[in-house]
Amino acid sequence: MVQVFRQAGERVGFAELFFDLVFVFAITQISHTLLHHYDLAGALQTGFLFLAIWWVWIYSTWVFNLLDPEQPRVRGLLFTLMGLGLFMSMAIPTAFHERGWIFAAAYAGSQVLRSLFMWHHAEGRLRNTYARILTWLTAAAVFWLLGGLMHDGARVALWGIALGIEYLGPMTGMYVPGLGRDRSSDWTVRGGHIAERCGLFVIICLGETLLVSGATFAGMAWDAPGLMSFLGALAGTVGMWWVYFHWGHRRGSHQIEHSADPGALARLAFTYLHIPIVAGIVLAAVGSERAIAHPLDLGSPAEGAALIGGLVLFLIGNGLFKRVSAANFPLSHLVGLGLSVLAFLAGPWLPLWALNGVAALILAVVAVWENWSLTRNLSV
């Protein structure tokens, strides 16, 4: 059988970084779609699409954790998935309208093709694992494709079933009658690679915040309120980077690299618990762009839902992620969440440039508090 699996090493390859460019586009499409449909329906639809985009990316990460991207067949798979990902990303703005069938076909095709490739090339327990995964994703694909051909409520219902199947699968061990279920100890993963890939996805989302903020401010008159909003967005992005990378990612990477059961840790900490982290960054980016575009508007509950809601999601996700490698949910993050609630309540009396600055200040408080606390404990 042709060799397609990694022999040694955990470093992320250039082909994988090239693959991620598609998801830079996907995240941009999601944030812009929410910006142009900034209401409850738009939030629910883009939230759903975000969960789908994250899931197709994280499944790819698990697969390329085992495959060698230097091998021609693997590169062929990776570039094919890139093409499908581009069609999926291009269809995002109208995925619940005329291009739903394109989104569904590209999404389902990616999930099934990748799993079929792994099943074909794997042996032993890994082959059984991907037989289970292929069964679950094929079942979901039926609902994706049927939903793509339907309209309105029928599409939403069918796609909801499809995504539910995919998210529940790992929780059940991908149980299939006759094949049984997987155990986390069967999942041979390179922990350092998984951690690095998730960190790079966070960088993608933070980069989207910078790009959107810069592009919005560049097209405006550079007055004081707009400048303050832009600086708040910049400070908030730096704060998110610091809160995630300075302690949390480094500690999480060390833990998964030395874990006796890296598969279970990868599933919990890097597959599920990264969802609110990444979603919070994207939502906060939308709030920052609205603050830059309309700095003197007041921070109504609708505006606060993005600016402060994104911050809340980000802090909850980081706190849970760090809780996996620590004894407690970080006190600094609990304080940050309390301050976020107060900021949201005060929002209707604050202009958006000020509310954006308050969000950045809360992140600074969390980062400084956490660094002081952990540094003090290490020195004791």
Coordinates of all heavy atoms in Angstrom, one line a residue, residues 88-123:
M88 N -17.7 26.3 -0.9 CA -18.4 26.4 0.3 C -18.4 27.9 0.9 O -19.4 28.4 1.3 CB -17.8 25.5 1.4 CG -18.6 25.4 2.6 SD -18.0 24.0 3.6 CE -16.2 24.3 3.7
S89 N -17.2 28.5 0.9 CA -17.0 29.8 1.4 C -17.7 30.9 0.5 O -18.4 31.8 1.0 CB -15.5 30.2 1.4 OG -14.8 29.3 2.3
M90 N -17.6 30.7 -0.8 CA -18.3 31.6 -1.7 C -19.8 31.6 -1.6 O -20.5 32.6 -1.8 CB -17.9 31.3 -3.2 CG -16.5 31.7 -3.5 SD -16.1 31.5 -5.3 CE -16.2 29.7 -5.5
A91 N -20.3 30.4 -1.1 CA -21.8 30.3 -1.0 C -22.3 30.8 0.3 O -23.5 30.9 0.5 CB -22.2 28.8 -1.2
I92 N -21.4 31.1 1.3 CA -21.9 31.5 2.6 C -22.9 32.6 2.6 O -23.9 32.5 3.3 CB -20.7 31.8 3.5 CG1 -20.0 30.5 4.0 CG2 -21.1 32.6 4.7 CD1 -18.7 30.7 4.7
P93 N -22.7 33.7 1.9 CA -23.7 34.8 2.0 C -25.1 34.5 1.6 O -26.1 35.0 2.1 CB -23.1 35.9 1.1 CG -21.6 35.6 1.1 CD -21.5 34.1 1.1
T94 N -25.2 33.5 0.7 CA -26.6 33.1 0.3 C -26.8 31.6 0.5 O -27.6 31.0 -0.2 CB -26.8 33.4 -1.2 OG1 -25.7 32.8 -2.0 CG2 -26.8 34.9 -1.5
A95 N -26.2 31.1 1.6 CA -26.3 29.6 1.9 C -27.8 29.3 2.3 O -28.2 28.1 2.0 CB -25.4 29.2 3.0
F96 N -28.5 30.2 2.8 CA -29.9 29.9 3.2 C -30.9 30.4 2.2 O -32.1 30.5 2.4 CB -30.2 30.6 4.6 CG -29.6 29.8 5.7 CD1 -28.3 30.1 6.2 CD2 -30.3 28.8 6.3 CE1 -27.8 29.4 7.3 CE2 -29.8 28.1 7.4 CZ -28.5 28.4 7.9
H97 N -30.3 30.7 1.0 CA -31.2 31.1 -0.1 C -30.8 30.3 -1.4 O -30.8 29.1 -1.4 CB -31.0 32.6 -0.3 CG -31.4 33.4 0.9 ND1 -32.7 33.6 1.3 CD2 -30.6 34.1 1.8 CE1 -32.7 34.3 2.5 NE2 -31.4 34.6 2.8
E98 N -30.4 31.0 -2.5 CA -30.3 30.3 -3.8 C -29.1 29.4 -3.9 O -29.0 28.5 -4.7 CB -30.3 31.3 -4.9 CG -29.1 32.3 -4.9 CD -29.4 33.6 -4.2 OE1 -30.3 33.6 -3.3 OE2 -28.6 34.5 -4.4
R99 N -28.0 29.6 -3.1 CA -26.8 28.8 -3.2 C -26.7 27.8 -2.1 O -25.6 27.3 -1.8 CB -25.6 29.7 -3.2 CG -25.5 30.4 -4.6 CD -24.3 31.3 -4.6 NE -24.2 32.0 -5.9 CZ -23.5 33.0 -6.2 NH1 -22.7 33.5 -5.2 NH2 -23.5 33.6 -7.4
G100 N -27.8 27.4 -1.4 CA -27.8 26.4 -0.4 C -27.3 25.1 -0.9 O -26.6 24.4 -0.2
W101 N -27.7 24.7 -2.1 CA -27.3 23.4 -2.6 C -25.8 23.3 -2.8 O -25.2 22.3 -2.7 CB -28.1 23.0 -3.8 CG -27.8 23.9 -5.0 CD1 -28.3 25.1 -5.3 CD2 -26.8 23.6 -6.0 NE1 -27.8 25.6 -6.5 CE2 -26.9 24.7 -6.9 CE3 -25.9 22.6 -6.3 CZ2 -26.1 24.8 -8.1 CZ3 -25.1 22.7 -7.4 CH2 -25.2 23.7 -8.3
I102 N -25.2 24.5 -3.2 CA -23.7 24.5 -3.4 C -23.0 24.4 -2.1 O -22.1 23.6 -2.0 CB -23.3 25.8 -4.1 CG1 -24.0 25.9 -5.5 CG2 -21.8 25.9 -4.2 CD1 -23.7 27.2 -6.3
F103 N -23.5 25.1 -1.1 CA -22.8 25.0 0.2 C -22.9 23.6 0.7 O -22.0 23.0 1.2 CB -23.5 25.9 1.2 CG -22.9 25.9 2.6 CD1 -21.8 26.7 2.9 CD2 -23.4 25.0 3.6 CE1 -21.3 26.6 4.2 CE2 -22.9 25.0 4.8 CZ -21.8 25.8 5.1
A104 N -24.1 23.0 0.6 CA -24.4 21.6 1.1 C -23.5 20.6 0.4 O -22.9 19.7 1.0 CB -25.8 21.2 1.0
A105 N -23.5 20.7 -0.9 CA -22.7 19.7 -1.7 C -21.2 19.8 -1.4 O -20.5 18.8 -1.3 CB -23.0 19.9 -3.2
A106 N -20.7 21.0 -1.3 CA -19.3 21.2 -1.0 C -18.9 20.8 0.4 O -17.9 20.1 0.6 CB -18.9 22.7 -1.2
Y107 N -19.8 21.1 1.3 CA -19.6 20.7 2.7 C -19.6 19.1 2.8 O -18.6 18.5 3.4 CB -20.6 21.3 3.6 CG -20.4 20.9 5.1 CD1 -19.7 21.7 5.9 CD2 -20.9 19.7 5.6 CE1 -19.4 21.4 7.3 CE2 -20.7 19.4 6.9 CZ -20.0 20.2 7.8 OH -19.7 19.9 9.1
A108 N -20.7 18.5 2.4 CA -20.8 17.1 2.5 C -19.7 16.4 1.7 O -19.2 15.3 2.2 CB -22.2 16.6 2.0
G109 N -19.4 16.9 0.6 CA -18.3 16.3 -0.3 C -17.0 16.3 0.5 O -16.3 15.3 0.4
S110 N -16.7 17.4 1.2 CA -15.4 17.5 1.9 C -15.4 16.4 3.0 O -14.4 15.7 3.2 CB -15.3 18.9 2.5 OG -15.2 19.9 1.5
Q111 N -16.5 16.3 3.8 CA -16.5 15.4 4.9 C -16.4 14.0 4.5 O -15.7 13.2 5.1 CB -17.8 15.7 5.7 CG -17.9 17.0 6.4 CD -16.9 17.2 7.5 OE1 -15.7 17.3 7.3 NE2 -17.4 17.3 8.7
V112 N -17.2 13.6 3.5 CA -17.2 12.2 3.0 C -15.9 11.8 2.3 O -15.3 10.8 2.6 CB -18.4 11.9 2.2 CG1 -18.4 10.5 1.6 CG2 -19.7 12.1 3.0
L113 N -15.4 12.7 1.4 CA -14.2 12.4 0.6 C -13.0 12.2 1.5 O -12.2 11.2 1.4 CB -14.0 13.5 -0.4 CG -12.7 13.4 -1.2 CD1 -12.7 12.2 -2.1 CD2 -12.5 14.6 -2.0
R114 N -12.8 13.1 2.5 CA -11.7 13.0 3.4 C -11.7 11.7 4.2 O -10.7 11.0 4.4 CB -11.7 14.2 4.4 CG -10.5 14.3 5.3 CD -10.7 15.3 6.4 NE -11.4 16.5 6.1 CZ -12.7 16.6 6.5 NH1 -13.3 15.7 7.1 NH2 -13.3 17.7 6.2
S115 N -12.9 11.3 4.7 CA -13.1 10.1 5.5 C -12.9 8.9 4.6 O -12.3 7.9 5.1 CB -14.4 10.1 6.2 OG -14.6 11.2 7.0
L116 N -13.4 8.9 3.4 CA -13.2 7.8 2.5 C -11.7 7.6 2.2 O -11.2 6.4 2.1 CB -14.0 8.0 1.2 CG -14.0 6.9 0.2 CD1 -14.7 5.7 0.8 CD2 -14.8 7.4 -1.0
F117 N -11.0 8.7 2.0 CA -9.5 8.6 1.8 C -8.8 7.9 2.9 O -8.0 7.0 2.7 CB -9.0 10.0 1.6 CG -7.5 10.0 1.2 CD1 -7.1 10.1 -0.1 CD2 -6.5 10.0 2.2 CE1 -5.7 10.1 -0.4 CE2 -5.2 10.1 2.0 CZ -4.8 10.1 0.6
M118 N -9.2 8.3 4.1 CA -8.6 7.7 5.3 C -8.9 6.2 5.5 O -8.1 5.4 5.8 CB -9.0 8.5 6.6 CG -8.3 9.8 6.7 SD -6.5 9.7 7.0 CE -6.5 8.9 8.6
W119 N -10.2 5.9 5.3 CA -10.6 4.5 5.4 C -9.9 3.6 4.4 O -9.5 2.5 4.7 CB -12.1 4.4 5.2 CG -12.6 3.0 5.1 CD1 -12.9 2.2 6.2 CD2 -12.9 2.2 3.9 NE1 -13.3 0.9 5.7 CE2 -13.3 0.9 4.3 CE3 -12.8 2.5 2.6 CZ2 -13.7 0.0 3.4 CZ3 -13.1 1.5 1.6 CH2 -13.6 0.2 2.1
H120 N -9.7 4.2 3.2 CA -9.0 3.4 2.1 C -7.6 3.1 2.4 O -7.1 2.0 2.1 CB -9.1 4.1 0.8 CG -8.4 3.5 -0.4 ND1 -8.9 2.3 -1.0 CD2 -7.3 3.8 -1.0 CE1 -8.0 2.0 -1.9 NE2 -7.0 2.9 -2.0
H121 N -6.9 4.1 3.0 CA -5.5 3.9 3.2 C -5.1 3.4 4.6 O -4.0 2.9 4.8 CB -4.8 5.3 3.0 CG -4.7 5.7 1.6 ND1 -5.7 6.5 1.0 CD2 -3.8 5.4 0.6 CE1 -5.4 6.7 -0.2 NE2 -4.2 6.1 -0.5
A122 N -6.0 3.4 5.6 CA -5.7 3.0 6.9 C -5.8 1.5 7.0 O -6.3 0.7 6.2 CB -6.7 3.6 7.9
E123 N -5.2 1.0 8.1 CA -5.2 -0.5 8.5 C -5.6 -0.6 9.9 O -5.5 0.3 10.7 CB -3.8 -1.1 8.2 CG -3.4 -1.0 6.7 CD -2.0 -1.6 6.5 OE1 -1.3 -1.7 7.5 OE2 -1.7 -1.9 5.3

